[in-house]
Amino acid sequence: GAPEEVWMDLDYHPVLDGQGDPAGVICFLAETTGRVAVERKTAFLLSLSDALRPLGTPADIMALTAARLGEHLDASRVFYAEIASGRMTVERDHARGVSSIVGEHSLEAFGPDLLNAYRVGTPVVVRDVQADERLSPEARAGLGTRQVGAFVDVVLFEETQWVGLLAVQNATPRIWTPEEEMLVQEVGGRVKVAVVRARAGRDVRGRHRDGERRRDEGLQGADAGPVAGGAARRDAGRRPGLHRVRRPAL
């Protein structure tokens, strides 16, 4: 099978002979891969959340998430795409050793079987693009052109509508671990929340600027209006050559 990264605690003890001299070594081994994976995932998610918090634009959030996740998983390409009307738009991606795919792409190229798998809501895992029967020949060709040999995709929903896709891709076939698949799913949820928050903040700031502009325009109109109106009223009470004179009391 494919090599896997494992973590172990090793405890060595000498074995003594009858005279008390070292005659060998005994080793007690305990695998800690699961514990280490949880610790590393927790530390990564906390670091990512801290880094995302001050960012104010969706593009910056997508770029940072892609870079951090790509480095953490040693992936060839990572991107977050927004989905609308059967198309996905990639604003930023992290690409290492492969070309960028920033732009707009049709979802139809994935084929019906893979699109049905996306609707379940769990990560879609492909370990070998050229051997996965869920991919149509057109999809295999398209992914091969984009240097994709394996991938993990997580589709993000707003109620029942697809709104986003987090993709982690490898240029060659790869055995994804359950921990890696779970991490991609958790990061997908976090980046979606961060993007929604950034858009809401941008909308609030936009409404605030519009309100200030309308207020400034109103103040300018108020300053100009009374001056012109007052002058007109004063002029209206005067007629050339006619002046009112108060007669003194006798």
Side-chain angles (χ1 to χ4, degrees), residues 13 32 35 45 65 80 93 119 121 127 146 167 173 175 179 200 202 211 220 226-227 230:
H13 295 272
T32 59
R35 187 191 74 203
L45 290 173
T65 301
Y80 178 82
D93 65 0
R119 293 186 175 91
R127 297 176 173 85
R146 293 194 289 273
I175 303 298
E179 292 78 16
R202 184 182 61 188
Q220 290 172 2
V227 171

Side-chain angles (χ1 to χ4, degrees), residues 9 44 47 51 114 129 132 141 147 190 204 248:
D9 283 342
F44 173 78
S47 174
L114 198 61
V129 163
D132 198 301
Q147 302 166 282
R190 294 188 183 216
V204 169

Side-chain angles (χ1 to χ4, degrees), residues 150-175:
F151 62 86
V152 177
D153 284 354
V154 173
V155 172
L156 304 168
F157 294 84
E158 191 70 49
E159 295 182 352
T160 60
Q161 297 297 315
W162 298 6
V163 295
L165 170 73
L166 179 63
V168 178
Q169 301 176 339
N170 211 59
T172 57
R174 172 170 172 170
I175 303 298

